Amino acid sequence: MEEQTVQTKKPVSRAFVGIVTSDKMDKTVVVSVSEKKMDRLYKKYVTRSKKYMAHDEKNEASIGDTVRIVECRPLSKNKCWRLAEIVERAK
């Protein structure tokens, strides 16, 4: 009989691009991610935003920076995202 090999797929980690709104905590930044969604009833685009707490190991991001965050294991009660890269520095 032939052996069947089971291939396990790594789950795709989610990533967002947002703007840093707070960097007051040590090794943590708050990133605001906004998206435009069409309202089903009124057929208009509505901007919705959500805040994520992300781990910033080197404290390199500052307020106004555009950053990319990726999902990771839970690091604390509210923090399960980490800073992947700084896309653009604030002017």
Side-chain angles (χ1 to χ4, degrees):
M1 233 173 162
E2 292 180 25
E3 289 185 29
Q4 292 181 350
T5 58
V6 178
Q7 293 180 351
T8 57
K9 289 186 178 180
K10 183 182 175 191
V12 178
S13 63
R14 296 186 298 165
F16 292 123
V17 175
I19 297 173
V20 176
T21 56
S22 173
D23 63 349
K24 293 181 181 179
M25 293 168 277
D26 186 34
K27 296 186 178 182
T28 303
V29 290
V30 178
V31 180
S32 179
V33 176
S34 56
E35 66 171 340
K36 290 194 175 213
K37 266 192 149 176
M38 180 168 284
D39 188 274
R40 285 190 277 165
L41 179 62
Y42 297 110
K43 307 292 189 247
K44 284 185 167 184
Y45 282 99
V46 180
T47 304
R48 302 231 169 106
S49 64
K50 189 170 179 183
K51 291 182 180 178
Y52 296 96
M53 293 178 93
H55 184 68
D56 181 12
E57 183 65 39
K58 299 174 187 167
N59 286 324
E60 53 191 14
S62 58
I63 295 177
D65 291 351
T66 303
V67 296
R68 182 182 325 281
I69 57 173
V70 293
E71 197 171 29
C72 66
R73 67 179 179 85
L75 300 169
S76 69
K77 177 183 172 184
N78 298 320
K79 196 163 60 165
C80 59
W81 297 86
R82 67 177 170 81
L83 183 73
E85 67 172 317
I86 299 174
V87 177
E88 185 180 345
R89 291 274 183 194
K91 294 178 178 146

